[in-house]
Amino acid sequence: MSSRILVGSFVIGAIYTNFYYLHREDSKECIVFDPADLGDQIYEELTGKQGLSIQAILLTHAHFDHIGGVAALKERCRANVYASELEKRLCASSGLNHSALHGRPCTVKPDVWLRDGEELTLAGITLRVLSTPGHTEGSCCYYIEDAGEGAHPILISGDTLFAQSYGRTDLPTGSESAIQRSIRDKLLVLPDDTDVYPGHEQTTTIAFEKKYNPLAY
């Protein structure tokens, strides 16, 4: 069994986005998810204060409140940026990703485009990509089955699944029917003990969401 995965987080940006960083307990190599803003400060905190080495930047989707810190962070750490191949339009458009509307237009150019069901191992952590369209057409989640000895599986759910809720679907490329299918067919079928780390607000579990999420009924 691999060593336990440690999950750290900060709340960053105007929309209070959850930024996550993960690493094995016996390793200083880490991966990060959705740097919402303050890329320079993220780099200094993780590398300067915690002594971590950022190996990859993964995006759950390309809304402005999840990509605002990507450029600065990538410039400092030189890590590849990963995103779903279905999110190309939002990555490339400050209009579609709503950054222009909020006065800070930005785009992002991922180095690696991901496909549904693809597995990748980064910093000793194996993730499975789950394509979960609905919040945006290219939204995805990352599932980690092996979180280490005695640890529960991990789901980084972005803005698809929240505690007792789910992401809005009224923004460009969103779809209510698609997000319902994504949650029911891709996420609520995961093991009950899976710990869910959403893009906003508090953590939850698959077991809890199967009981209390409105899309579970």
Side-chain angles (χ1 to χ4, degrees):
M1 177 70 72
S2 302
S3 64
R4 190 182 184 95
I5 291 176
L6 303 180
V7 181
S9 66
F10 312 134
V11 177
I12 300 176
I15 315 296
Y16 303 104
T17 303
N18 291 329
F19 161 79
Y20 297 107
Y21 58 101
L22 279 62
H23 64 96
R24 295 281 180 186
E25 198 168 23
D26 59 357
S27 173
K28 289 297 186 180
E29 293 188 341
C30 75
I31 56 177
V32 305
F33 298 85
D34 293 352
D37 202 351
L38 308 177
D40 288 318
Q41 289 92 321
I42 289 173
Y43 179 82
E44 293 297 337
E45 172 64 32
L46 296 190
T47 64
K49 295 184 179 179
Q50 299 192 35
L52 299 173
S53 174
I54 301 169
Q55 301 297 302
I57 301 167
L58 297 108
L59 305 179
T60 62
H61 64 293
H63 276 153
F64 76 99
D65 59 319
H66 289 253
I67 66 169
V70 170
L73 181 59
K74 178 176 173 60
E75 184 176 357
R76 298 292 297 276
C77 71
R78 304 297 180 183
N80 282 341
V81 176
Y82 296 74
S84 168
E85 63 182 359
L86 302 177
E87 195 70 339
K88 290 181 179 180
R89 289 202 295 164
L90 263 71
C91 286
S93 171
S94 62
L96 290 178
N97 68 33
H98 269 213
S99 59
L101 181 66
H102 287 81
R104 294 178 60 188
C106 68
T107 57
V108 61
K109 295 181 179 179
D111 302 285
V112 181
W113 295 107
L114 302 170
R115 301 180 303 278
D116 183 36
E118 182 175 354
E119 286 196 349
L120 58 158
T121 300
L122 303 163
I125 298 171
T126 298
L127 313 95
R128 186 164 85 242
V129 180
L130 303 177
S131 179
T132 53
H135 180 60
T136 66
E137 63 188 354
S139 286
C140 70
C141 301
Y142 299 95
Y143 177 64
I144 303 168
E145 183 175 15
D146 174 18
E149 187 173 1
H152 298 159
I154 292 169
L155 179 72
I156 305 294
S157 66
D159 286 4
T160 297
L161 180 63
F162 297 138
Q164 300 185 69
S165 186
Y166 58 97
R168 60 189 294 183
T169 59
D170 59 332
L171 299 177
T173 78
S175 166
E176 182 72 18
S177 60
I179 203 169
Q180 290 187 21
R181 288 193 300 272
S182 292
I183 291 174
R184 289 169 176 158
D185 297 346
K186 292 287 189 71
L187 303 186
L188 295 183
V189 298
L190 294 173
D192 283 356
D193 63 348
T194 300
D195 291 325
V196 179
Y197 294 87
H200 302 274
E201 301 183 349
Q202 72 269 26
T203 60
T204 184
T205 67
I206 291 298
F208 188 86
E209 296 312 306
K210 285 169 71 173
K211 287 185 178 181
Y212 299 110
N213 196 286
L215 294 188
Y217 311 140

